[in-house]
Amino acid sequence: MDKRYEVFCLVDRHFYETPDRAAAPAAPGGTHPEGWFETAQRPVPAGWSARRSGDWLHLMPPPPGEGGAAPMPAQGWKVHVSATLANADKTAAKVWDHCVPRGIPFKFVPARELLYLRNSKYAERHLSGKFATLYPADEDRLEVLLAELGELLDGGEGPYILTDLRIGRGPLYVRYGAFVPRWCDNGSGSLVPAIEDDWGRLVPDRRTPVFSLPEWVTLPAFLEPHLAARDGVVLGDLPYRIEGALHFSNGGGVYRATDLRTGERVVLKEARPHAGLAADGADAVTRLKRERAALERVSGLSVAPAVRDWFELGEHRFLVMDHLPGRTLNSFFAERHPLLAEAPDPGRLADYASWALDVHAGVERAVAALHGRGLVFNDLHMFNVMVAPDGRTVSLLDFEAAAPADENPRQIVAHPGFVAPADRTGYAVDRYALACLRLALFLPMTSLLAIDPAKAEHLAEVAAREFPTLPGAFLDEAVAEIRGAGNGRSPAAPISAAPTPAPAAARRPAPADWPGLRDALVRAILASATPEREDRLYPGDPAQFAPGGAERHEEGERWLLRRAAAPPEGSPLGLYDGLFGVVHTRHGLGHRQAALDLAERALGERWERLPAHLHGGLAGIGLVLDELAAATGESALAAHAERVTDLAAERLGDPPGPTRPGSPGDPSRPAPGRARAGLMRGASGAALLFVRRYERTRAPGLLDLAAAALTRDLAHCRADSHGTLAVDEGTRTMPYLAEGSVGIAAVLDDYLAHRADERLAAARAAILPAARLRYYAQPGLFRGRAGMIWHLARTATPGVTAADLDAQAAALDWYAMPWGGGLAFPGDQMMRLSMDLATGTAGCLLALAAAHRGDTGGRAPGLPFLPPPPGGGPQIPPPRDGGGARGTD
């Protein structure tokens, strides 16, 4: 689970939303929204300008020619001010009163709710504590600012800012970095904030949660004592040797260690003051104290680690606990779960069900033991259950949310798949989590319950069908508890015995078959549109907030044309993340001149520095330019397409080490990052460009380049025990369309249509089983089941049948949820619905349309530059009665 998504779930129950919308922007006419600090409601100083950006309120002095101070440089030493919820407004007032008379640009977080989100437990660690940012013009002004403002703020409390160098013991910190937005590729295909190095090249502005200096920057002498003080905080004479980190959050870390006095393995849990705030406002230190008290309360029960020590180091608190041998329950899924196969073996299904029932019974006994001591665990999920080396004995971990039952506690932190409804308190919170665990052990999709609790019945139906030996009462009881039917116990009643079975849930209505299913998806997408907003038209993945079969949505087209007429500074350029994607869409919708105008603007940017890949790099840009050149006959566009193709080939063949300027090894080029494979960010996207350019030019060398690029990506794949090829990412293997083996196979299909190659054909065949697994964690096109449906409908791999396609399309219903009078799908991480192509409902619509292309009125859908197979392929036949539902999986 990606913790970064949690903060995007706090504003809206159904869709991912930017957290800054938790505090409304200032209204026209000078009024301010409720919840803003008093300082943020002050009138803007004469000549100054103010603007909102994300969760910041920026204040800029007049330009130098109009009586302002020195101009703000593009980068330099910036000052961060930390603050707590209690002192933030007073701190903001002192910053304002100091900066405005001196003409120092600054920004601060204007609302309490926004500051809470920035310092919450799963907020990004590099943002933690940053309440205000000041931009001194040079090092001399920096020194004066630190001295004067440091005196004003002396003694103020706030979270430690991990990225920065702390000044004394107050709330001031400094870091060298960007003052204005500039962007560069990080070497592995992602645009990141940039600064300019001493060669004049843009390089990533590193924001890792540890203070570091760019290698060409010298630390000013007046900062050296502060660096020495920072480096002086060491483990020293502590009797523990830390051997590695197990986990990090905004509140601190969890570390493996050895007790040097005994040689025994222990676990150290760290808490940072004022950071990692929970729903009740408790910081990490407060919660760690609660954890220590809870563990001491259950001492001797053998269901939790024992407390060994408690100490303070550098203002951080540490709890030392026994190390429990074994693995967390979630880690067993990839290894044991029988649905991660093409055709699950009935024996493996039965064995897994037996094991899961035993484990769940052990968890219930452990929770009952806590309840016997009057303690509510309050944060039960698969990551907090430790399974011993015997594979069945369980213990519980992470007691920071545990609380005495007589306080009737509510959840203050929770895993998204185990969040109890607001009306559950006390022991009822644990009972709800145990019910979710019953489903999650078989279908780990309980995060959908936060969107629609009724989904529990459907998940139980699917689990019962996929695991025939599973007792029906086991699932019925879970559904009854989740839906609130209960079993006669009050919320204050502890778990002491098995609950009374509840009646079986009513069957969830099946969605209509195609084209009724198509219409339901379209209704949901159109119902979600927000053309009145400037930041997005349809709700999708949180990435949207970073810089076939339906009627056209004219209002949506107008929104796109309006927003793309003046794209924000620093907009990405790529096919799937930026301006050339808009060019392609404009052209496809028939707005040719608008497409040409935007292409001309985008070509004026520094696209030559981009990596070779399809998502945001040269491959996607080259494909768009090639398409435009063919449609318009403009020789300049054709020349650009050829130049982009040559650069992409160079990128894939870059030699190490510096060479002449402008060559592949030129240090002005992006530094290489971790090698990635797949369609979107691997070499396969460049291979697609080479194949399409070959089709245009018939230059055989382009097929040679495509073969080399595909071979490069296949070198990142490994076969599992069944011989199925997937991209090896070290800690996991990826079968998916965007960054997995199925995306490589999609381009192999197009390459092999032009040139026979037994080795590449064998690789394509070895990838095919990855598209026929019984379970995928998500429904989406790029990283889920929909991508497998799309591939099965398109591939020329021998052996694919309509039955394969039908089975995957039917199983897509596992994730479907009613919304907006239609049907919608959750996005990545399954915490909220999404309507976009990559992660959500639009991508599922495209995949299903591809599978039903015999019933699309001749409008066969495809991805950009990956059209449907010209000779046809497997497809789902229409229902025999010509309409209606055939039933769903």
Side-chain angles (χ1 to χ4, degrees):
M1 185 189 70
D2 191 335
K3 292 289 188 180
R4 294 173 297 179
Y5 277 70
E6 289 196 41
V7 73
F8 291 93
C9 298
L10 299 174
V11 176
D12 191 286
R13 174 184 167 185
H14 293 101
F15 300 110
Y16 292 119
E17 187 58 88
T18 52
D20 58 274
R21 293 183 74 85
T31 60
H32 295 276
E34 184 179 353
W36 274 36
F37 296 126
E38 288 186 12
T39 306
Q41 300 182 48
R42 291 181 177 184
V44 179
W48 284 61
S49 60
R51 66 179 177 88
R52 279 288 304 277
S53 174
D55 56 1
W56 292 109
L57 176 63
H58 295 251
L59 278 298
M60 290 294 294
E66 300 175 18
M72 186 173 76
Q75 64 193 53
W77 286 97
K78 62 176 70 175
V79 175
H80 284 123
V81 184
S82 182
T84 66
L85 298 178
N87 67 20
D89 200 7
K90 291 182 179 179
T91 300
K94 292 177 180 179
V95 169
W96 182 300
D97 292 342
H98 186 81
C99 290
V100 169
R102 294 162 178 80
I104 301 172
F106 68 101
K107 64 182 180 181
F108 67 99
V109 179
R112 177 185 174 88
E113 179 69 16
L114 296 178
L115 183 59
Y116 162 76
L117 293 175
R118 180 168 279 254
N119 290 329
S120 62
K121 180 176 181 181
Y122 290 114
E124 294 190 67
R125 297 171 71 219
H126 76 273
L127 297 177
S128 180
K130 295 176 182 177
F131 170 63
T133 309
L134 290 65
Y135 302 97
D138 52 43
E139 291 184 6
D140 290 339
R141 291 177 175 85
L142 170 68
E143 184 175 11
V144 173
L145 174 61
L146 292 176
E148 295 179 347
L149 190 59
E151 184 175 346
L152 291 172
L153 298 177
D154 184 50
E157 293 185 323
Y160 193 102
I161 298 177
L162 297 171
T163 59
D164 289 24
L165 177 63
R166 188 178 189 180
I167 305 302
R169 297 184 61 83
L172 293 187
Y173 298 77
V174 297
R175 185 180 78 83
Y176 188 94
F179 284 14
V180 298
R182 291 193 289 182
W183 305 87
C184 72
D185 182 81
N186 67 353
S188 60
S190 299
L191 282 179
V192 295
I195 54 176
E196 194 171 292
D197 69 3
D198 54 345
W199 289 58
R201 60 184 180 178
L202 288 178
V203 296
D205 182 6
R206 307 288 181 190
R207 299 180 183 186
T208 54
V210 61
F211 175 69
S212 63
L213 271 177
E215 60 184 17
W216 67 91
V217 175
T218 301
L219 187 76
F222 60 86
L223 295 180
E224 290 176 358
H226 303 288
L227 181 61
R230 171 190 175 277
D231 292 342
V233 179
V234 295
L235 290 178
D237 296 329
L238 289 176
Y240 306 106
R241 181 178 65 246
I242 293 180
E243 295 164 345
L246 297 171
H247 171 69
F248 284 111
S249 75
N250 194 19
V254 181
Y255 307 93
R256 295 190 311 271
T258 295
D259 188 327
L260 297 175
R261 296 163 297 189
T262 65
E264 295 175 297
R265 298 181 68 187
V266 294
V267 172
L268 273 63
K269 188 168 185 178
E270 172 195 28
R272 303 197 304 118
H274 312 301
L277 303 181
D280 63 349
D283 70 355
V285 172
T286 300
R287 294 199 311 278
L288 194 62
K289 290 177 179 178
R290 292 173 181 172
E291 180 161 14
R292 179 180 64 172
L295 290 174
E296 290 171 344
R297 185 166 187 157
V298 300
S299 176
L301 291 179
S302 300
V303 296
V307 173
R308 285 180 173 242
D309 197 0
W310 172 270
F311 64 89
E312 180 176 339
L313 179 67
E315 300 180 29
H316 296 196
R317 307 305 198 280
F318 287 83
L319 174 64
V320 185
M321 300 169 283
D322 282 347
H323 171 266
L324 298 182
R327 292 187 289 161
T328 53
L329 180 54
N330 66 289
S331 69
F332 283 82
F333 185 81
E335 173 187 301
R336 283 181 175 260
H337 206 284
L339 297 188
L340 298 175
E342 289 185 79
D345 175 75
R348 285 197 65 202
L349 290 168
D351 289 345
Y352 179 85
S354 175
W355 172 81
L357 289 170
D358 283 352
V359 167
H360 190 275
V363 176
E364 281 194 319
R365 288 192 295 270
V367 173
L370 302 188
H371 291 185
R373 292 280 177 92
L375 193 72
V376 179
F377 188 49
N378 229 23
D379 189 22
L380 177 67
H381 54 80
M382 295 176 77
F383 291 76
N384 280 353
V385 175
M386 177 66 78
V387 182
D390 65 9
R392 293 181 184 271
T393 304
V394 302
S395 303
L396 301 177
L397 303 173
D398 197 356
F399 280 70
E400 67 177 41
D406 56 15
E407 297 177 4
N408 200 26
R410 298 178 180 273
Q411 278 184 308
I412 59 169
V413 293
H415 185 285
F418 295 77
V419 178
D423 63 348
R424 313 292 174 97
T425 62
Y427 294 123
V429 173
D430 287 348
R431 291 202 303 272
Y432 180 89
L434 282 165
C436 289
L437 184 61
R438 292 189 180 209
L439 298 180
L441 280 165
F442 299 94
L443 288 177
M445 298 163 57
T446 53
S447 56
L448 300 179
L449 304 182
I451 308 172
D452 181 7
K455 191 69 177 178
E457 297 169 78
H458 186 210
L459 294 180
E461 290 175 7
V462 175
R465 186 165 56 248
E466 298 297 319
F467 294 88
T469 63
L470 196 57
F474 181 81
L475 298 172
D476 292 343
E477 293 160 7
V479 172
E481 183 66 56
I482 290 167
R483 296 302 307 275
N487 43 44
R489 284 198 297 252
S490 70
I495 293 174
S496 57
T500 304
R507 178 169 178 79
R508 173 182 176 274
D513 210 325
W514 196 267
L517 175 57
R518 175 200 66 199
D519 295 341
L521 298 180
V522 170
R523 281 197 302 274
I525 293 172
L526 294 180
S528 74
T530 53
E532 71 280 2
R533 288 178 57 163
E534 293 297 305
D535 58 339
R536 58 112 159 124
L537 177 58
Y538 302 105
D541 190 78
Q544 75 180 136
F545 298 114
E551 296 298 321
R552 291 173 63 157
H553 186 204
E554 293 184 2
E555 189 174 24
E557 289 184 38
R558 289 194 294 271
W559 185 93
L560 177 65
L561 290 168
R562 183 180 75 251
R563 292 292 294 132
E569 183 181 354
S571 294
L573 301 177
L575 172 61
Y576 280 96
D577 69 352
L579 298 184
F580 277 99
V582 180
V583 170
H584 173 71
T585 303
R586 282 179 165 185
H587 180 252
L589 292 172
H591 304 290
R592 176 177 292 185
Q593 190 56 50
L596 290 171
D597 292 344
L598 185 58
E600 181 179 4
R601 172 171 181 159
L603 285 168
E605 301 291 335
R606 302 168 75 173
W607 54 269
E608 297 94 338
R609 304 167 68 93
L610 293 173
H613 64 67
L614 181 67
H615 186 271
L618 295 171
I621 294 173
L623 287 162
V624 174
L625 291 171
D626 180 68
E627 173 188 61
L628 275 181
T632 64
E634 292 196 13
S635 58
L637 290 174
H640 277 301
E642 184 173 359
R643 171 63 176 149
V644 172
T645 304
D646 290 343
L647 279 176
E650 286 184 18
R651 293 288 190 275
L652 294 181
D654 278 358
T659 60
R660 60 181 175 80
S663 70
D666 176 16
S668 66
R669 301 282 297 281
R674 178 178 64 84
R676 301 172 79 167
L679 177 63
M680 289 295 159
R681 291 184 172 85
S684 294
L688 178 63
L689 170 63
F690 301 145
V691 170
R692 295 289 170 255
R693 290 284 293 161
Y694 167 78
E695 292 169 349
R696 191 83 65 198
T697 67
R698 295 297 166 178
L702 289 165
L703 286 185
D704 296 337
L705 289 171
L710 289 165
T711 300
R712 177 172 173 161
D713 265 5
L714 289 170
H716 289 280
C717 296
R718 66 176 170 91
D720 65 12
S721 58
H722 303 288
T724 302
L725 278 182
V727 172
D728 183 4
E729 293 194 341
T731 58
R732 60 181 180 175
T733 57
M734 298 292 282
Y736 299 115
L737 178 60
E739 298 181 22
S741 54
V742 162
I744 301 172
V747 185
L748 282 169
D749 274 320
D750 289 28
Y751 172 84
L752 291 168
H754 295 291
R755 179 184 286 177
D757 187 312
E758 290 185 6
R759 180 180 55 86
L760 294 181
R764 179 180 65 175
I767 292 169
L768 179 62
R772 296 195 289 205
L773 303 182
R774 193 66 187 135
Y775 174 80
Y776 298 95
Q778 301 179 150
L781 183 68
F782 280 10
R783 286 177 288 273
R785 192 182 294 272
M788 307 310 178
I789 296 170
W790 177 86
H791 179 60
L792 291 172
R794 182 181 186 273
T795 185
T797 310
V800 180
T801 67
D804 296 329
L805 197 56
D806 200 12
Q808 290 291 27
L812 194 62
D813 183 53
W814 295 5
Y815 319 83
M817 309 183 79
W819 194 86
L823 211 60
F825 288 91
D828 278 3
Q829 305 300 312
M830 302 267 283
M831 300 182 200
R832 292 293 184 268
L833 299 176
S834 169
M835 299 299 174
D836 68 27
L837 178 75
T839 73
T841 306
C844 294
L845 174 62
L846 183 143
L848 290 168
H852 289 277
R853 67 179 181 280
D855 192 25
T856 58
R859 295 177 291 176
L863 281 171
F865 310 106
L866 284 163
Q875 57 183 283
I876 298 175
R880 290 190 182 92
D881 61 5
R886 295 196 307 277
T888 58
D889 199 348

